[in-house]
Amino acid sequence: MNIFKKNIAPLIILFIFFGLGKSQAQSYTEDSLQIKAYTEIKFIESVAEHITLKKVFCDYCSEFQTQKIGEEALRRADLEKYDSQNRLKNGYKKLAVYIRISKDDFASIVPETETDK
């Protein structure tokens, strides 16, 4: 029992602290980007008639990247139109759509002609 206290117990405590130090979650800001887009859904008789992309907020995006991010924002807004919190009887519902993408995936959004080079 005395050998256990001298040799093994400090090692167990060391491994516990080492494990807790490594188990912290990595922040998304270190390896990804978050882009915001505004969309608008037109409702007539509680049915979504039309979804419009208003603006994509991305200062560092190319025109092609902005277009692709806008298409994704429209797709996500289309899914959100079924949420009871977003439905209106008649009128326009404005939605802010947040898109989180890894930096590597964002860098790979290039027109096909550039990937052929």
Side-chain angles (χ1 to χ4, degrees):
M1 185 67 174
N2 199 11
I3 295 173
F4 177 75
K5 288 181 182 179
K6 287 184 178 178
N7 297 331
I8 307 290
L11 286 175
I12 292 173
I13 292 171
L14 181 68
F15 286 127
I16 289 172
F17 283 118
F18 180 73
L20 291 175
K22 292 292 182 180
S23 67
Q24 294 176 353
Q26 183 179 4
S27 173
Y28 76 89
T29 58
E30 292 180 17
D31 63 348
S32 65
L33 303 169
Q34 181 171 299
I35 302 168
K36 180 169 64 171
Y38 283 148
T39 59
E40 188 175 71
I41 305 172
K42 180 182 180 182
F43 284 95
I44 299 174
E45 297 297 323
S46 296
V47 176
E49 292 293 322
H50 186 68
I51 301 174
T52 307
L53 178 67
K54 291 297 185 180
K55 184 167 176 131
V56 175
F57 293 93
C58 184
D59 296 335
Y60 42 83
C61 293
S62 69
E63 187 176 323
F64 183 76
Q65 289 170 327
T66 302
Q67 176 188 354
K68 291 300 179 185
I69 296 292
E71 290 172 6
E72 177 63 17
L74 286 172
R75 187 189 70 75
R76 291 184 185 193
D78 187 52
L79 296 173
E80 288 290 323
K81 71 182 178 186
Y82 299 112
D83 189 359
S84 62
Q85 295 177 345
N86 296 330
R87 295 186 76 103
L88 297 174
K89 178 77 173 162
N90 289 310
Y92 293 90
K93 176 69 176 180
K94 294 180 181 180
L95 291 176
V97 178
Y98 294 90
I99 298 170
R100 191 172 292 154
I101 184 170
S102 74
K103 290 178 182 178
D104 294 334
D105 291 341
F106 179 77
S108 68
I109 302 175
V110 293
E112 291 181 17
T113 56
E114 290 184 22
T115 57
D116 296 338
K117 292 181 182 178

